[in-house]
Amino acid sequence: MTGSMLLADLSLIVPELILAVGAMALLLAGVFIKGEETAARLVSLAAMALLILAAGVAVFLAPQGGGTAFFGAFVLDSFSLYAKAVVYLAAAIALVLAGHYLRTERLARFEFPVLILLATLGMSVMVSAGDLIALYLGLELQSLALYILAAFNRDSLRASEAGLKYFVLGALSSGLLLYGASLVYGFAGSTEFGAIALAAENPSVGLIFGLVFVVSGLAFKISAAPFHMWTPDVYEGAPTPVAAFFATAPKLAAMVLLIRVLMEPFGAMSDQWQQITIILAILSMGIGSLGALLQTNIKRLMAYSSIGNMGYALVGLSAASEAAVWAVLLYMTLYVIGVAGAFGVILSMRRAEGMVERIEDLAGLSKSRPGLALAFTGLLLSIGGMPFLVGFFGKLFVFYAAVQAGLVWLVVLAGIFSTVSIAYYLMILKRVWFDEPTGGEFLNPPASVAVITRVTGIATVGLLLLVPFMLNRVIEAGSAIGG
């Protein structure tokens, strides 16, 4: 590789360089800044600035037309740029949500924002992966940081258990993914997506087995059933801001990676993988919807909700068309906005004695915190896909893509599960609006969390005006992926 080739390649990975160099610099800075809480606050602010800078570079300064780097291992196109911008902003919001919680729970340490940066760097590589090795490197960089974040409260038995469970099951999923990747390499003769796509035009049995294992490994990352076992326990055990992070940026990055893997290298094998995604979709919608009905802990309920919502995204992806790509992209973007706001409300569930997580603790919220109750109502109904809220359009378009592909029966099934999911959101709202308070009032949330809950709550209605613009943007981003 010549110097000019190296410079051309480096020009395509500027956002990743900002995050990588920034994370290392902040790690060193955190060691030398005196005072644990001061170091945590300064490093967190700097990490947020880096994430916003990387998002700005991805949106405004990326080379026109994109390109490939490192012999095709890294791809920069409108699809990856869109995903990166959303992932960076979601990670920045997670840091904003975490600040007050970490200080109150005496968990404010500078390692937290550094780990968020490293996990985000891994996601950034994932969405730009152009071969199996880059895919695995990005996935593992993200996963290793997330394992530590899940157990960040090392004095808590629940958090340690959550981190250990996530690590053990994550290692199992990595094994599945690696085994599948080795089969794909063995039968395609290359790890590069373009070469795999050529082999997929006349797939061998070995390549089909490889595809199944690769999809299984990626299904774990989006918590699609039956690979969802870690999700409720990790959401419940991990610190709440970590659960908020798990539910947003990593979910979107993993879904974007799954779309790229299925639509590009395995695009010619859509008849084979469509059957897998349909099964995953049905199981996820069923387990997510019915499991959430039985929950009394709000974090576990959000975990089952995320499993169900990944099922709806998989319904759209099962269409295996260009419409499927942009519809899922739009759905995931709106889902991330809704979930970030919902976790803002959960982080506001604090009384004098500490954080509370039971759904019954929300009783009478409308009387003591009407603004918070209103925002929570909009967010939950938007995640559930109720008409006249922006989340409705996310579901509408994934169902549209599936109907266009002739999967009407699957859309009918998704509609039934969607109705069930509305039931558990209404169960929460009944507590919020009609039940009498059973405990003390919640303390005033910190301004940063209050702003996020209010802004995302208003966005569930306000973004209705921007749906045509968002639609154009995701269609443009999705056009980079072969349909």
Side-chain angles (χ1 to χ4, degrees):
M1 177 180 279
T2 63
S4 59
M5 286 174 66
L6 180 61
L7 284 176
D9 286 354
L10 290 178
S11 71
L12 297 178
I13 61 166
V14 174
E16 285 77 14
L17 286 175
I18 290 172
L19 295 181
V21 175
M24 293 302 103
L26 292 181
L27 190 59
L28 284 174
V31 173
F32 289 106
I33 296 172
K34 290 182 180 175
E36 197 169 59
E37 197 165 309
T38 306
R41 188 171 59 252
L42 293 177
V43 171
S44 187
L45 286 172
M48 275 185 254
L50 284 173
L51 287 165
I52 292 169
L53 176 64
V57 169
V59 172
F60 298 111
L61 299 180
Q64 293 295 320
T68 60
F70 308 112
F71 306 104
F74 187 92
V75 180
L76 189 75
D77 53 18
S78 57
F79 184 66
S80 61
L81 285 172
Y82 176 89
K84 283 179 195 186
V86 179
V87 164
Y88 297 158
L89 293 176
I93 289 172
L95 280 175
V96 174
L97 288 175
H100 182 266
Y101 176 93
L102 295 177
R103 285 193 296 278
T104 310
E105 299 293 323
R106 299 184 184 280
L107 293 172
R109 294 194 288 271
F110 71 87
E111 293 91 343
F112 186 88
V114 173
L115 286 166
I116 293 278
L117 280 182
L118 291 174
T120 309
L121 174 61
M123 294 173 219
S124 193
V125 175
M126 283 163 59
V127 301
S128 275
D131 77 2
L132 293 174
I133 295 174
L135 178 157
Y136 187 72
L137 286 175
L139 208 57
E140 284 307 294
L141 178 56
Q142 175 212 239
S143 299
L144 290 172
L146 294 184
Y147 298 148
I148 303 169
L149 284 171
F152 196 74
N153 186 2
R154 58 194 176 203
D155 296 327
S156 161
L157 183 61
R158 278 200 322 173
S160 303
E161 192 178 313
L164 186 61
K165 181 174 281 190
Y166 191 34
F167 173 71
V168 171
L169 293 175
L172 180 65
S173 81
S174 289
L176 289 174
L177 184 70
L178 272 181
Y179 184 63
S182 64
L183 281 174
V184 171
Y185 172 67
F187 286 92
S190 174
T191 58
E192 201 262 324
F193 284 176
I196 296 170
L198 288 176
E201 290 177 3
N202 294 297
S204 60
V205 175
L207 198 59
I208 295 172
F209 269 99
L211 167 68
V212 172
F213 280 106
V214 168
V215 173
S216 300
L218 294 178
F220 176 89
K221 301 300 178 188
I222 59 168
S223 22
F227 305 99
H228 66 285
M229 299 81 73
W230 61 275
T231 316
D233 292 340
V234 172
Y235 273 44
E236 184 185 8
T240 306
V242 174
F245 182 56
F246 279 15
T248 53
K251 279 278 196 304
L252 186 133
M255 184 57 80
V256 165
L257 176 61
L258 183 62
I259 293 172
R260 187 183 288 282
V261 167
L262 293 181
M263 297 299 290
E264 285 193 333
F266 295 108
M269 294 170 63
S270 58
D271 287 345
Q272 282 82 14
W273 61 253
Q274 197 178 40
Q275 299 170 44
I276 304 172
T277 53
I278 287 174
I279 292 169
L280 291 176
I282 294 171
L283 289 175
S284 300
M285 290 186 296
I287 291 174
S289 302
L290 300 177
L293 282 174
L294 306 174
Q295 303 308 312
T296 55
N297 180 292
I298 187 74
K299 286 164 71 180
R300 287 185 74 87
L301 185 142
M302 291 305 294
Y304 278 101
S305 165
S306 81
I307 295 166
N309 278 286
M310 291 307 104
Y312 302 123
L314 287 168
V315 168
L317 183 56
S318 298
S321 63
E322 193 176 326
V325 175
W326 60 256
V328 175
L329 213 51
L330 179 66
Y331 180 82
M332 290 303 298
T333 305
L334 297 175
Y335 174 74
V336 164
I337 293 170
V339 169
F343 269 97
V345 176
I346 295 171
L347 280 163
S348 305
M349 292 171 62
R350 177 181 289 280
R351 291 184 175 136
E353 60 271 23
M355 292 291 297
V356 290
E357 296 177 355
R358 294 176 306 169
I359 293 171
E360 65 186 43
D361 291 321
L362 287 163
L365 182 68
S366 62
K367 297 181 178 65
S368 57
R369 296 279 183 274
L372 194 65
L374 205 57
F376 201 30
T377 303
L379 290 163
L380 288 184
L381 294 180
S382 181
I383 295 171
M386 283 287 279
F388 311 117
L389 293 170
V390 73
F392 167 74
F393 290 95
K395 263 188 188 170
L396 178 70
F397 288 121
V398 292
F399 290 172
Y400 162 77
V403 168
Q404 206 178 37
L407 298 172
V408 179
W409 67 270
L410 185 59
V411 172
V412 171
L413 202 56
I416 293 170
F417 284 126
S418 188
T419 308
V420 175
S421 73
I422 289 292
Y424 58 78
Y425 294 129
L426 291 178
M427 183 179 74
I428 299 174
L429 296 179
K430 181 244 177 197
R431 293 267 183 197
V432 170
W433 289 97
F434 299 110
D435 285 6
E436 291 299 320
T438 54
E441 284 190 9
F442 292 143
L443 300 177
N444 285 326
S448 54
V449 174
V451 166
I452 287 177
T453 52
R454 301 307 191 275
V455 169
T456 50
I458 293 169
T460 59
V461 179
L463 282 180
L464 287 171
L465 299 172
L466 297 179
V467 166
F469 169 76
M470 295 179 73
L471 207 52
N472 284 334
R473 188 69 192 87
V474 292
I475 289 173
E476 183 188 334
S479 64
I481 298 290

